[in-house]
Amino acid sequence: MYRYIANRVFLVIPTLIGAAVLVFLLMRLIPGDICAIRLGSGGTMADPRAIARCHAELGLDRSLAAQFIDFAWGFVRLDFGVSMWSGKPVAEEIAARLPISLEIALMATVLAIVIAIPLGTISALKQNSWLDHVVRVAAIAGISTPSFWLGIVSILAVLEISNLLFGAPWMPPIDYVPFWQDPLRNLSIAFLPALTVGYRYSAVSMRMTRSAMLEVLREDYIRTARAKGLIEKIVINRHALKNALLPVVTLIGIEFAFLISGLVVTEQVFNINGVGRLFVLAVQNQDYTLTQALVMLTVVTFVFVNLAVDLLYAWLDPRIRFG
Amino acid sequence: MVDLPYTAALENTVEAPRARSGALDFCRREPLGTFGLVLVLIMAVAGLGAEWIAPYSPTANDFAAMTEPPSWAHIMGTDQFGRDLFSRIVFGARTAFIVGFSCALVGGFAGLVLGVASAYFGGRIDTVLQRINDVIMAFPLIILALAVIAVFGSGVFNVILAITIPLIPRCARVVRSSALAIREVPYIDAARACGFGHTRIILRHMVPNVLAPFLIMLTAFVGQAILAEASLSYLGLGVQEPVPAWGLMLQGGAEEYATTAPWIAIFPGVAIALTVFGFSLFGDALRDALDPKLRDR
């Protein structure tokens, strides 16, 4: 087990270095001088002294190797530099928006688990029944429906329903309030975006639960459990589901790391000032320091969530650590 | 290894009826997959024949008919500039298919070659390629696409580039795992013993044997690329006006006119969802049909 952990942790290092090099080089591939583009946006000519100052601030007047070391070392110290757009430290910009994004991501995960595992299990147990077909179609629809469109349609539905019930349209608030200050207001901000992102997430997990359950239900030990007269509930809960959930746990972990992609678009629809929206604003405003910090943060989150999932999987399944 | 003339002739005579009965068998066994294929074909025909199907120009403004509800004159209504939504959706199908197929084909074939080569050569080449794959796969698709767009800017070509890059390692990873199993089978050793070159072994003996997982992935890639393009266009970072694109149609007035003209938000979304739904259903059915383990499930 220790050898497996060491090997897996060791693999993280080249991935992170490679990702840092890729992000660093990608941002340096921008055609022209990023300071001239930024300062001269709108077709105006930028002052050469302002451009020189911008170069010095970003460290662009130094060698590529020195810039990379600075970038990587800054990242290790959580010092991502200053936003080219707002002039505030990037860490500050991200920290202000992280709570709402994290809350939506966690709510989406809970919703996905609550929907996916029971429905995926029932679908596998009632294979080829009408219920199975409905669940499968709903799952494929979840993967196919763009989350931003689902967001627009859900806003439309809330407006229409509230208008019908209360005689005036109601929209969820957009200004973030922490849960402990006003739980109702906080949940009314986060619930719809979480449902929108969670539907796709649950669809992916539902398909995996169904397919893993079908695989496990055909195993010899399930036949043995049934042959020795165990009641079906125990066979399903104790023998089948426990083993089928292993790949589902992995998928839920990986999808959690990918939630940022869903949030990028969904936060835009619901006008939520989270990390996803910040990402879009950074790209739109050509804020390269902010963009590279956000890309790198996403990658680091993904790599570490992946590592945690792999280690958890190895702990749960001895075939992996001894394989 | 040697192509005998009579074998080729025999293959030519039996191939057509076998393909026809195979297609019929697929339709019978996979009704949902067939439905998916029909959806995809409808959208493809709409995209190909947009000039003949669309009653109006997708870019023609009619300020006398702004935000008009669906009627006989405009079956899906008009948007806030008086443009016919049905015509824009039909032309949008072309944009979606151009982006979807370009990304899937380029990304898929690059991934196919890299994945098979990685498995075939093994050793250091495999290790280096896998580490590069690890790095690129650590970027979620939309995030890497946004980073590429931040560098190169928006527009159809840059969107295709931005979506294709993340697809390559995803394809290479799946193809490699299938190719690793094939590398060990005796006919590859026999091909080496015959003195065939690496290119011939890879292209003629390994690639055809990993085509099943590759084709399944290709259908999924087209759907993913269409969704990614729609998301980027919705964010204003993908295809730009006046090119008709489904995501872009939702960016304009969809939210602003949500209560007064909901058709602006509904129809483009339905078009995206139905197309990707079609590709997903067809891809799933293809997987079930090509994987003997799943055939009876």
Side-chain angles (χ1 to χ4, degrees):
Chain A
M1 180 71 180
Y2 291 115
R3 198 175 163 178
Y4 176 80
I5 294 174
N7 274 340
R8 194 59 195 79
V9 172
F10 182 73
L11 270 180
V12 164
I13 301 165
T15 308
L16 284 180
I17 294 174
V21 171
L22 187 65
V23 172
F24 176 80
L25 290 178
L26 208 59
M27 290 299 135
R28 267 79 193 164
L29 274 178
I30 294 161
D33 182 343
I34 57 167
C35 285
I37 296 169
R38 179 78 192 105
L39 297 170
S41 60
T44 54
M45 282 295 290
D47 177 11
R49 278 174 303 177
I51 291 180
R53 203 164 47 242
C54 170
H55 280 168
E57 271 172 18
L58 294 174
L60 295 176
D61 49 354
R62 293 183 302 144
S63 72
L64 216 56
Q67 284 180 48
F68 178 72
I69 292 168
D70 241 26
F71 165 69
W73 181 234
F75 206 86
V76 172
R77 289 178 296 131
L78 296 179
D79 174 13
F80 311 119
V82 174
S83 161
M84 288 174 76
W85 164 51
S86 66
K88 286 184 189 166
V90 168
E92 209 175 277
E93 292 277 8
I94 295 171
R97 289 161 171 94
L98 200 58
I100 181 69
S101 298
L102 211 56
E103 189 184 334
I104 295 172
L106 286 172
M107 270 178 84
T109 309
V110 172
L111 279 169
I113 293 170
V114 168
I115 297 169
I117 294 175
L119 283 182
T121 308
I122 294 168
S123 179
L125 292 173
K126 308 269 179 202
Q127 192 194 356
N128 292 332
S129 66
W130 66 268
L131 192 71
D132 179 33
H133 290 307
V134 169
V135 170
R136 284 173 73 188
V137 170
I140 299 178
I143 294 166
S144 317
T145 313
S147 55
F148 61 91
W149 181 65
L150 205 61
I152 297 171
V153 172
S154 64
I155 291 174
L156 198 63
V158 166
L159 286 171
E160 289 297 327
I161 293 168
S162 59
N163 199 18
L164 214 70
L165 292 177
F166 313 113
W170 176 84
M171 268 283 284
I174 50 168
D175 46 330
Y176 178 67
V177 181
F179 182 79
W180 53 91
Q181 274 182 22
D182 189 345
L184 202 69
R185 192 178 167 84
N186 173 279
L187 288 178
S188 59
I189 298 169
F191 182 73
L192 270 186
L195 191 69
T196 307
V197 180
Y199 178 42
R200 194 205 160 270
Y201 195 174
S202 72
V204 178
S205 314
M206 201 151 49
R207 277 156 66 92
M208 179 58 94
T209 310
R210 180 184 179 274
S211 132
M213 270 300 274
L214 282 175
E215 191 108 31
V216 168
L217 286 171
R218 281 167 173 77
E219 292 286 342
D220 289 341
Y221 62 83
I222 298 293
R223 199 175 301 127
T224 310
R226 281 184 178 139
K228 71 181 184 185
L230 278 183
I231 55 167
E232 194 63 11
K233 204 172 151 185
I234 294 180
V235 176
I236 301 302
N237 288 338
R238 203 174 289 170
H239 296 279
L241 198 58
K242 234 178 179 179
N243 289 298
L245 283 185
L246 280 171
V248 181
V249 169
T250 314
L251 187 82
I252 286 171
I254 293 168
E255 282 290 316
F256 181 79
F258 273 123
L259 267 183
I260 183 78
S261 310
L263 290 180
V264 163
V265 196
T266 311
E267 286 181 358
Q268 196 78 9
V269 178
F270 290 94
N271 221 359
I272 288 172
N273 210 5
V275 176
R277 192 146 187 260
L278 184 68
F279 209 129
V280 177
L281 287 174
V283 175
Q284 279 171 346
N285 292 314
Q286 297 172 321
D287 189 339
Y288 303 110
T289 43
L290 191 53
T291 308
Q292 69 182 14
L294 284 167
V295 174
M296 221 25 229
L297 265 182
T298 313
V299 172
V300 170
T301 312
F302 178 80
V303 168
F304 280 104
V305 170
N306 230 344
L307 173 70
V309 167
D310 275 0
L311 296 182
L312 182 73
Y313 203 98
W315 179 62
L316 292 171
D317 190 345
R319 285 173 303 183
I320 290 172
R321 56 179 189 266
F322 296 118
Chain B
M1 275 1 105
V2 184
D3 290 331
L4 298 171
Y6 64 84
T7 328
L10 187 69
E11 275 174 5
N12 285 341
T13 52
V14 296
E15 207 53 45
R18 199 197 290 158
R20 206 177 305 135
S21 74
L24 283 175
D25 195 40
F26 177 84
C27 294
R28 210 173 33 245
R29 290 175 74 108
E30 305 286 349
L32 276 178
T34 311
F35 175 63
L37 183 63
V38 170
L39 281 178
V40 168
L41 288 176
I42 290 172
M43 293 297 181
V45 168
L48 281 172
E51 278 87 359
W52 297 281
I53 297 168
Y56 301 92
S57 157
T59 50
N61 298 328
D62 181 359
F63 295 112
M66 292 190 294
T67 61
E68 276 209 356
S71 62
W72 285 115
H74 301 282
I75 54 170
M76 289 183 179
T78 60
D79 66 8
Q80 67 274 31
F81 302 110
R83 295 177 296 194
D84 181 54
L85 279 180
F86 177 69
S87 304
R88 287 184 68 73
I89 284 175
V90 166
F91 274 93
R94 180 178 291 179
T95 311
F97 274 75
I98 287 174
V99 174
F101 275 102
S102 307
C103 296
L105 290 175
V106 177
F109 279 104
L112 178 71
V113 173
L114 282 175
V116 175
S118 184
Y120 175 76
F121 290 112
R124 276 189 191 159
I125 294 176
D126 185 38
T127 310
V128 170
L129 283 175
Q130 288 320 301
R131 293 293 76 76
I132 295 171
N133 273 359
D134 281 347
V135 169
I136 302 176
M137 282 178 73
F139 293 82
L141 197 151
I142 284 284
I143 302 300
L144 187 53
L146 278 175
V148 172
I149 282 169
V151 175
F152 297 108
S154 49
V156 179
F157 180 77
N158 288 344
V159 166
I160 292 173
L161 182 75
I163 300 170
T164 303
I165 293 170
L167 294 181
I168 297 171
R170 283 163 176 81
C171 179
R173 180 61 55 90
V174 176
V175 167
R176 177 183 168 271
S177 62
S178 303
L180 275 176
I182 292 162
R183 191 182 66 170
E184 305 303 329
V185 293
Y187 67 77
I188 298 296
D189 287 336
R192 276 199 204 104
C194 285
F196 294 162
H198 295 315
T199 317
R200 181 168 175 166
I201 296 174
I202 289 174
L203 294 179
R204 287 199 60 182
H205 302 286
M206 288 184 82
V207 166
N209 287 294
V210 295
L211 279 184
F214 173 72
L215 285 176
I216 296 161
M217 212 161 30
L218 218 56
T219 56
F221 278 179
V222 180
Q224 279 179 32
I226 290 174
L227 267 185
E229 180 274 312
S231 302
L232 291 173
S233 298
Y234 172 74
L235 294 172
L237 298 165
V239 176
Q240 300 293 310
E241 291 280 9
V243 179
W246 295 335
L248 199 60
M249 289 169 75
L250 288 167
Q251 190 217 5
E255 285 154 353
E256 207 178 323
Y257 297 91
T259 45
T260 52
W263 50 90
I264 299 178
I266 290 169
F267 291 118
V270 171
I272 302 170
L274 278 181
T275 310
V276 183
F277 187 66
F279 275 110
S280 304
L281 283 178
F282 178 58
D284 269 18
L286 204 61
R287 185 199 57 199
D288 292 359
L290 294 175
D291 187 344
K293 277 200 294 183
L294 294 163
R295 212 169 283 165
D296 299 322
R297 278 192 189 166

